Amino acid sequence: MATAISLVPLLFISIAIGSAATILAWRARPEPGSKPLVALLVAQSWWSTCIIFKLRAPALDAKLLWANLAWIGVVAIPVAWFLFALEYTGRDEYLRPRYVGALSVVPVLTVIFALTGQYHDLLYVRPTGAELNGVVLFEQGGPWFWITAAYTYILGVFGMIPILGLLTSDAVAFRGQSAALVVGLLAPWVTNVLFLAGLLPTSGVDPTPIAFSVSGIVYLAALTQFRLLGTSPAPNKRARQFLFDRMQGGAIVVDANDYVVDMNDSSVRILGIDATDVLGGPANEIIPEYDRLPEDGALPGHLTIGDELGGHPYDVTSTRITNVRGTPIGRVITFHDVGEHLRQQQRLEVLNRVLRHNIRTETNVIYGYVSRFEDDENAKTVKERALRIEEIGKKGRKAIELFDKTRDRTEPKSLHSLLDRCIESTRDSYPKATIERSQPNEDVAVAGLLRQVFSNAIENAVEHNPSDTPHVWVTVEMEGDTVYVEVADDGPGIAEYELAVLEDGTETPLKHGSGLGLWIVKWGTDIAGGEVRFTENDPEGSVVTIEVPVLSRDAQVVASERSD
Amino acid sequence: MGYANRPLVVGEIMSSEPRRLSIYSDGTDHQYSQFVSPLLTHLERTKDVLIHTSTYLVFIAMVQVATVMAALSIEPNPALAIIGLVTFAVYMGDRIADVDTDEVSNPGQSSFVRRHESVLSVLTAAAYGLAIAISVLGGPVALGVTLIPGAFWVLYASDWLPTIGSYFKRLKEILVVNSVIVALAWAISLVFLPLAFADAAFTPVAAVIFFYYFLDTFVNTEIPNVNDVEADEAIGVSTLPVVFGVDRTRQIAYGLDIVLVGFVVFAYLRGLLGSILTLAILVGLGYALVLAAFVGRTEHESRLGIAGEAKHLVVMAVILALTAGGF
């Protein structure tokens, strides 16, 4: 049976380990949690020390004094633990002096009650005397004793909650840390419960600080093995909050009953409200047309927020949040300002109209007037140039159509029929050109916008070929879910500077290509999620390889798209 | 550039070949290289470890405590172990903390500390933790004395309590105050720890020993500052060599050692110190005066520092010799 005296060596060990761990934690500053951990380990070592001094004190008064001073360590531990858990898991906003002060009220009162014990029975009744082995025995604790005990356990449990959260962390190091911290906490807590229940034969000596030496070993191991304070999860929570707060779009979190539970800075700005006024209030009071929002998904059309003078259109999306069992527990409603996008779209529409209508009309007029002149070489040149201007206008319009968001750009279309149309239209425009085609029997569906890409690639191959009988080879190959359309010609090849401009992705007044055709090939392929490569043909000419994903191989889908 | 150097390297390797052959042709040399060289390397490495880890200081500190115990007729007690452990923790801890600044002044030590930093860090923490646990055996006074270095660590840390931290950090920069703090902490530890464990009172004899160690440590703290004049000046730390120059510092060291000689003789005449102890301390002070003459006049300043610390071994050796000789 363990006696009080036989605990002494264990108390010494707990002091040695506690002090060593204190120094290591001290050196880990300013890592999150290091200061509260220092306080916890000092408190534990102090508690053990006071027990030893109490046991070795010759007189009853001295024993009483050390027993009372031990309370400093006893009550500091739960506060330090709680603060450690908060800071370590990134909740350092609670480590302000006023919160620490509030948490310390019960511990400070406890120490005061302990040191003034001769005047009242709040903490415990009077000592009954000393036993032969030097252990002071007290009667049952007074009312404040149970308040302190309850407070200690509450802080212990509250501190464990965020730490346990680390157990579910994806990072192995954090899981190791969390497990170490929980074991380090449970050892003394379980010991204390057993001691208070009278289940430990320690002759009235509280062995809890000895159990804290187990915590010390665990913390030390965690410091060295799991890099307890070197690898800290503290920034995680802050980073998520930071992203939520600073994201450009507005975000409002509502619970299952449509009450606002959180909102970011942008949503406060967008809605022109004060977060403190609306948090906890009904969402339909702050979000216009709230009832029109879908449970999950995007709101059709736009939502205009603001007064008539300064209204802004927003794309609003509702995303359902579910718990681990898949039950909906709320939604995140996000607001994306589409004002600029809509304005840009309007500009494109105007440009489109200008390119489609005005340029064509003007060039037709020029063409008509020139036809009245004598049919000499000059008039022929002017006519050709007028036709080219119209062609540029047409291509510009096609390019704008590529970016027009209102159309579904990735609508699947049959590859065979797309190529059929492109080749057919090129043959109509250039009857002397020979266009050969080789493709597998299997047809697939690709993005519909590729029609512009193929047609430009094929037309370019013919158009820029000075030969009287230009030759173009269109080859289709398939590899898994990727289709390669190669357009090869026997022309002079694409000039280096044209390719360099495409590679840069932008043009300048000094460095630019000769037209829009290659740009349409590049932009269209990019939008379809593919890539385009330009190589030289053997013995002459160029090869444009358009690599795009297959959207469907389903024969029925492809057939239906073909019939469009 | 690299290729230009190549023929030279090849030439060096080739020229070394005949020399290596001649070693193998001589059996004695071979044996020498097989046994003596590794032994010398091993000894050299052990010496480096002892110096880099301050282990020699641990031994010297324990000899100082033993001297106190002999002077005060106290039986050997755990104070010996505590002083050893604390010395290791404090000096090694300092070397870990100063590993960056030592890189220029003491590259060998700096690279040793950097290589073994994690092990040394745990060892110093464990040493101090063990010292604290043992000190609890000696009661509250022993615990308090053992906690003094820890208290200074806390006070110097300006991030702990910013106002107090920076105030104490400034104390480090003030002339004389910095060395007085070190000397006081050291003298308190050396004298009060053995007393606390023996449950003995602070007698006039103890006061004499206390003053002796206080002044002696003060001198031994200022002398190594001769090496660091430029560095101390750069960081704004006032030491005797920074303020008064090296020559005047040497004279101050002479003066203080002579004051100690007078003080020890006075204590002997008043019957506070025994003849063996008095003689031993005087021999030690004589040794210190000789060393003081080298201050600022030798190129081996770090060896001078170690030699200064070894004075306590001289004192103990004289005590043992005289006691064994039946004086």
Side-chain angles (χ1 to χ4, degrees):
Chain A
M1 174 175 156
T3 66
I5 296 304
S6 69
L7 286 179
V8 172
L10 293 176
L11 286 168
F12 276 111
I13 292 170
S14 83
I15 295 169
I17 291 171
S19 308
T22 303
I23 295 166
L24 292 174
W26 174 258
R27 285 183 186 151
R29 285 166 310 126
E31 295 291 347
S34 55
K35 284 183 188 177
L37 186 57
V38 165
L40 188 146
L41 291 162
V42 167
Q44 168 247 307
S45 305
W46 176 249
W47 189 359
S48 295
T49 303
C50 287
I51 293 178
I52 291 179
F53 284 161
K54 183 182 79 176
L55 293 173
R56 293 167 65 90
L60 187 61
D61 281 352
K63 283 181 186 295
L64 252 178
L65 176 70
W66 289 114
N68 290 334
L69 288 174
W71 276 103
I72 298 171
V74 176
V75 294
I77 286 173
V79 175
W81 161 254
F82 185 59
L83 294 175
F84 168 76
L86 289 179
E87 193 181 23
Y88 186 63
T89 54
R91 295 163 174 85
D92 56 320
E93 67 267 28
Y94 299 111
L95 264 77
R96 293 178 192 161
R98 60 170 180 274
Y99 294 125
V100 177
L103 284 170
S104 306
V105 170
V106 172
V108 169
L109 284 175
T110 307
V111 173
I112 291 172
F113 291 152
L115 294 173
T116 57
Q118 64 269 41
Y119 306 112
H120 54 78
D121 289 338
L122 280 172
L123 193 57
Y124 38 52
V125 296
R126 298 290 154 82
T128 55
E131 277 193 346
L132 284 177
N133 64 7
V135 179
V136 182
L137 280 179
F138 295 111
E139 290 295 340
Q140 196 62 281
W144 190 261
F145 175 87
W146 297 110
I147 291 173
T148 298
Y151 185 69
T152 301
Y153 278 83
I154 287 169
L155 287 189
V157 171
F158 280 9
M160 267 178 98
I161 293 168
I163 295 285
L164 282 172
L166 294 183
L167 275 176
T168 56
S169 167
D170 297 333
V172 177
F174 297 157
R175 268 186 274 163
Q177 289 171 5
S178 181
L181 291 166
V182 171
V183 169
L185 180 75
L186 280 180
W189 247 248
V190 169
T191 310
N192 191 248
V193 169
L194 294 175
F195 169 71
L196 289 179
L199 296 172
L200 292 179
T202 55
S203 308
V205 176
D206 187 349
T208 309
I210 295 169
F212 267 112
S213 66
V214 174
S215 312
I217 292 171
V218 171
Y219 294 144
L220 269 178
L223 273 166
T224 51
Q225 297 301 309
F226 301 122
R227 299 178 56 224
L228 178 62
L229 299 171
T231 307
S232 159
N236 268 352
K237 189 171 166 287
R238 274 304 176 85
R240 284 175 190 171
Q241 189 65 36
F242 182 80
L243 282 181
F244 180 74
D245 282 341
R246 299 293 169 87
M247 61 189 267
Q248 210 179 358
I252 296 179
V253 185
V254 297
D255 66 8
N257 299 314
D258 295 314
Y259 285 101
V260 177
V261 290
D262 200 0
M263 57 199 308
N264 70 353
D265 299 346
S266 295
S267 65
V268 168
R269 182 177 43 77
I270 290 166
L271 296 169
I273 45 171
D274 187 348
T276 47
D277 293 342
V278 295
L279 281 176
N284 59 10
E285 286 184 7
I286 59 159
I287 302 174
E289 301 178 51
Y290 183 75
D291 298 332
R292 208 159 68 78
L293 288 181
E295 272 303 305
D296 196 37
L299 178 77
H302 309 302
L303 182 68
T304 304
I305 300 175
D307 53 26
E308 284 165 7
L309 291 171
H312 263 274
Y314 288 90
D315 259 350
V316 183
T317 309
S318 172
T319 310
R320 188 182 287 139
I321 306 168
T322 55
N323 63 11
V324 283
R325 292 180 297 281
T327 314
I329 52 170
R331 287 183 293 164
V332 182
I333 296 156
T334 50
F335 300 83
H336 181 63
D337 187 347
V338 290
E340 182 56 31
H341 168 70
L342 289 180
R343 275 193 293 279
Q344 206 154 1
Q345 210 170 3
Q346 282 165 356
R347 288 177 207 139
L348 284 175
E349 275 166 16
V350 171
L351 267 177
N352 196 357
R353 184 177 53 75
V354 168
L355 289 170
R356 191 175 60 222
H357 184 256
N358 299 22
I359 291 183
R360 193 197 292 166
T361 310
E362 297 301 323
T363 46
N364 279 347
V365 170
I366 296 170
Y367 198 89
Y369 274 97
V370 172
S371 300
R372 294 182 188 177
F373 300 161
E374 208 176 316
D375 196 14
D376 65 359
E377 217 30 54
N378 289 338
K380 207 175 155 190
T381 307
V382 174
K383 274 185 189 174
E384 268 176 25
R385 292 289 162 170
L387 286 176
R388 277 184 74 175
I389 290 174
E390 194 194 336
E391 183 62 23
I392 289 168
K394 197 172 125 194
K395 286 200 172 163
R397 187 159 51 85
K398 297 288 179 197
I400 288 169
E401 276 173 15
L402 276 179
F403 300 118
D404 188 352
K405 230 187 160 184
T406 54
R407 299 177 63 168
D408 190 356
R409 295 168 304 180
T410 51
E411 187 187 359
K413 292 278 179 195
S414 148
L415 174 66
H416 284 185
S417 64
L418 283 181
L419 288 174
D420 284 347
R421 287 180 203 173
C422 296
I423 292 171
E424 215 169 290
S425 108
T426 314
R427 274 183 186 143
D428 287 348
S429 308
Y430 304 93
K432 287 183 183 170
T434 310
I435 304 175
E436 285 183 41
R437 179 175 176 184
S438 131
Q439 65 186 30
N441 288 332
E442 187 199 2
D443 193 6
V444 292
V446 294
L449 64 86
L450 288 170
R451 183 180 169 183
Q452 301 294 342
V453 173
F454 297 149
S455 114
N456 269 283
I458 296 167
E459 275 181 22
N460 263 10
V462 179
E463 193 184 331
H464 297 288
N465 194 333
S467 159
D468 287 340
T469 52
H471 212 122
V472 177
W473 295 268
V474 178
T475 314
V476 178
E477 279 178 22
M478 244 165 312
E479 202 178 292
D481 282 336
T482 308
V483 60
Y484 299 85
V485 177
E486 258 183 29
V487 180
D489 62 62
D490 58 353
I494 304 170
E496 275 300 318
Y497 73 89
E498 297 265 4
L499 297 179
V501 166
L502 283 183
E503 246 174 58
D504 288 351
T506 184
E507 291 190 347
T508 64
L510 292 175
K511 189 181 174 189
H512 57 82
S514 58
L516 274 172
L518 288 179
W519 280 117
I520 292 177
V521 171
K522 183 175 162 43
W523 291 335
T525 313
D526 281 349
I527 295 169
E531 273 181 49
V532 62
R533 282 188 297 280
F534 301 91
T535 47
E536 283 175 12
N537 200 6
D538 188 26
E540 57 178 350
S542 59
V543 182
V544 179
T545 308
I546 297 148
E547 176 190 339
V548 284
V550 172
L551 297 184
S552 174
R553 307 186 84 102
D554 189 323
Q556 275 186 340
V557 174
V558 176
S560 73
E561 298 308 334
R562 196 180 295 141
S563 64
D564 279 354
Chain B
M1 287 294 280
Y3 285 100
N5 286 331
R6 277 190 87 81
L8 184 69
V9 176
V10 173
E12 280 170 353
I13 291 170
M14 288 174 75
S15 68
S16 70
E17 284 300 309
R19 281 210 299 274
R20 202 188 291 166
L21 284 173
S22 74
I23 289 169
Y24 280 104
S25 65
D26 186 338
T28 327
D29 275 2
H30 180 53
Q31 278 180 356
Y32 177 86
S33 68
Q34 207 173 15
F35 299 108
V36 181
S37 292
L39 187 68
L40 285 178
T41 315
H42 188 72
L43 284 175
E44 186 73 16
R45 219 173 272 169
T46 311
K47 190 199 85 182
D48 283 349
V49 170
L50 286 178
I51 291 174
H52 294 332
T53 58
S54 310
T55 311
Y56 73 101
L57 281 174
V58 170
F59 181 67
I60 290 170
M62 289 169 80
V63 166
Q64 283 181 275
V65 181
T67 310
V68 173
M69 288 172 170
L72 302 177
S73 311
I74 296 171
E75 290 292 308
N77 63 39
L80 273 169
I82 292 174
I83 288 287
L85 290 165
V86 171
T87 306
F88 173 74
V90 169
Y91 280 85
M92 202 61 241
D94 271 358
R95 282 179 190 185
I96 293 171
D98 298 340
V99 70
D100 289 330
T101 48
D102 285 350
E103 203 154 338
V104 181
S105 57
N106 201 340
Q109 177 179 297
S110 176
S111 74
F112 173 85
V113 172
R114 217 181 276 282
R115 237 183 359 261
H116 306 286
E117 191 168 342
S118 55
V119 174
L120 291 172
S121 178
V122 173
L123 276 180
T124 50
Y128 198 50
L130 192 59
I132 290 172
I134 298 172
S135 75
V136 171
L137 273 175
V141 175
L143 175 65
V145 172
T146 309
L147 287 175
I148 287 174
F152 277 105
W153 277 337
V154 175
L155 291 174
Y156 281 145
S158 52
D159 65 325
W160 189 246
L161 290 165
T163 331
I164 300 177
S166 55
Y167 174 73
F168 273 87
K169 260 194 171 159
R170 278 202 298 277
L171 283 186
K172 254 181 158 177
E173 295 162 7
I174 301 171
L175 180 67
V176 178
V177 174
N178 40 27
S179 297
V180 163
I181 289 174
V182 175
L184 210 54
W186 207 219
I188 289 173
S189 305
L190 287 176
V191 176
F192 283 87
L193 259 185
L195 284 178
F197 273 94
D199 218 4
F202 185 68
T203 56
V205 182
V208 169
I209 300 292
F210 180 87
F211 183 72
Y212 161 67
Y213 272 127
F214 168 71
L215 211 53
D216 184 72
T217 311
F218 179 83
V219 175
N220 276 347
T221 310
E222 284 290 351
I223 285 179
N225 289 337
V226 171
N227 274 338
D228 306 325
V229 175
E230 282 170 18
D232 286 339
E233 224 162 5
I235 55 171
V237 173
S238 286
T239 60
L240 290 182
V242 167
V243 177
F244 299 110
V246 173
D247 289 343
R248 187 59 65 83
T249 302
R250 190 185 319 112
Q251 289 159 7
I252 293 172
Y254 286 144
L256 290 175
D257 278 343
I258 289 166
V259 166
L260 268 183
V261 169
F263 175 73
V264 169
V265 172
F266 170 76
Y268 171 71
L269 294 177
R270 292 294 300 264
L272 293 172
L273 288 183
S275 49
I276 291 178
L277 189 65
T278 307
L279 197 56
I281 291 176
L282 289 177
V283 171
L285 286 171
Y287 170 85
L289 279 165
V290 173
L291 287 183
F294 287 98
V295 171
R297 291 170 176 164
T298 171
E299 287 174 1
H300 306 290
E301 291 288 353
S302 60
R303 286 187 196 170
L304 190 66
I306 296 174
E309 300 290 350
K311 180 188 71 182
H312 305 293
L313 301 180
V314 174
V315 174
M316 181 49 94
V318 174
I319 292 175
L320 290 175
L322 292 177
T323 312
F327 286 95

